[in-house]
Amino acid sequence: MNMNELKGFLASDFNGFEVHLDPAEGRADIVLNRPPLNVIEMSQRDEIRTVFEALDRLPEIRIIVLRSIGEHFSSGGNIKGFLEASPEHVSKLADNVAAPARCSKPVIAANRGYTFGVGFELSLACDFRIASDTALYALPEQKLGQIPGSGGSARLQKTIGITRTKDMVMRARRISGPKALEWGFVTDCVADAELENATDALVKELLFFSPLAQRTAKRMINDNEDASLSVAIEMEGHCYSRLRTSDDFREGVEAFHEKRKPEFRGQ
């Protein structure tokens, strides 16, 4: 698709969510909109992946926010949908849910209320999670005789370790927003009335930095997750060296010495 076709696609009606574009602010919002619980359908996961891929191609969009309408982010997936979906479709679910992680741009999840199942897994695939103090996180699949199937336990174990992951997954335990901050799998926890303001503030903060440096940092950190320390350090050195030749780095250095705000262009 060309740019006009991409924008037309993003203006479409989607299954259970909306896309809001604000090119002037460099921001796009993917908004779950099936209240009160924002249940996520099987087909919705495919659409969310396609939307992330489309937003990644729009140069005027710098930051993506994943949020919801109502008092709950998402209670998870449509349970009946698992029984109706083909094994081939189910096998692709983790790939769809990983779309925020694959996206080259920073992605923020704003969570309040129930953030369960695939809603939690989608949030874990984002770069930043801001929790309301009303947020409750859970992977409740054990109650159905199942396990998380879209990266939930794997991403959690990388973040909070094996003991706490077993506590959440094997007991289907619900963890509050404040406890999630203590355990380290959310970036911040704020009063529910401040969730939107905190999200907006993080968007504005991220917009200050070089988009090229941000893309490089995200890819480097993600790729180094499973690397040995020596390989990770080597990769960091290569990325650093590449950025030293960029226009953005030159602009950053000149702005620093001239005591002015840099004007980064992502080049």
Side-chain angles (χ1 to χ4, degrees):
M1 288 188 285
N2 60 36
M3 288 299 114
N4 288 333
E5 289 172 333
L6 278 176
K7 291 175 183 177
F9 166 70
L10 292 169
S12 305
D13 291 330
F14 295 104
N15 178 14
F17 69 99
E18 304 166 354
V19 178
H20 300 164
L21 299 179
D22 189 351
E25 295 295 326
R27 170 176 174 166
D29 288 51
I30 299 174
V31 186
L32 304 181
N33 190 9
R34 191 182 279 118
L37 297 176
N38 291 313
V39 173
I40 297 174
E41 301 287 346
M42 282 288 182
S43 60
Q44 187 175 345
R45 304 174 192 224
D46 297 322
E47 290 186 340
I48 288 174
R49 171 185 57 79
T50 306
V51 164
F52 268 107
E53 291 169 353
L55 290 172
D56 210 10
R57 292 181 57 194
L58 284 183
E60 60 266 42
I61 297 302
R62 289 275 318 278
I63 313 294
I64 301 170
V65 175
L66 179 62
R67 57 184 177 87
S68 63
I69 297 294
E71 62 181 302
H72 299 293
F73 181 77
S74 173
S75 63
N78 183 345
I79 304 304
K80 187 178 180 182
F82 284 96
L83 299 177
E84 296 173 346
S86 69
E88 183 179 13
H89 190 188
V90 171
S91 70
K92 296 178 180 178
L93 296 183
D95 186 60
N96 288 341
V97 171
R102 287 195 305 272
C103 180
S104 67
K105 300 170 181 179
V107 184
I108 304 166
N111 301 137
R112 59 163 42 97
Y114 295 164
T115 306
F116 295 167
V118 67
F120 188 12
E121 290 175 309
L122 272 170
S123 298
L124 285 170
C126 296
D127 304 301
F128 304 91
R129 284 161 294 285
I130 301 181
S132 155
D133 57 10
T134 69
L136 286 173
Y137 294 95
L139 293 168
E141 289 82 0
Q142 290 277 295
K143 294 180 179 179
L144 302 173
Q146 253 296 4
I147 63 170
S150 297
S153 59
R155 292 186 191 280
L156 263 186
Q157 186 168 340
K158 291 287 188 181
T159 306
I160 64 176
I162 188 171
T163 300
R164 285 174 169 168
T165 300
K166 285 181 177 179
D167 190 27
M168 288 193 71
V169 173
M170 297 176 70
R171 299 172 65 192
R173 182 178 172 190
R174 297 182 179 186
I175 301 296
S176 69
K179 179 65 74 174
L181 181 63
E182 178 187 330
W183 281 16
F185 66 82
V186 301
T187 309
D188 200 2
C189 181
V190 299
D192 188 64
E194 291 300 313
L195 182 60
E196 284 71 26
N197 289 338
T199 303
D200 294 347
L202 180 54
V203 170
K204 290 179 181 177
E205 178 185 339
L206 293 171
L207 285 169
F208 169 81
F209 301 105
S210 159
L212 178 60
Q214 283 187 329
R215 292 194 298 269
T216 302
K218 176 171 179 174
R219 180 66 181 269
M220 178 192 69
I221 293 168
N222 284 350
D223 287 351
N224 282 345
E225 179 72 15
D226 297 315
S228 66
L229 178 60
S230 61
V231 170
I233 291 173
E234 182 78 10
M235 179 64 71
E236 186 176 285
H238 285 301
C239 291
Y240 177 86
S241 179
R242 184 169 70 91
L243 285 174
R244 285 190 67 223
T245 66
S246 70
D247 292 341
D248 275 1
F249 178 66
R250 179 179 297 276
E251 167 63 12
V253 171
E254 291 177 353
F256 176 82
H257 286 294
E258 295 168 9
K259 301 187 186 322
R260 60 174 173 82
K261 181 180 177 180
E263 295 182 8
F264 295 121
R265 303 183 184 279
Q267 299 175 343

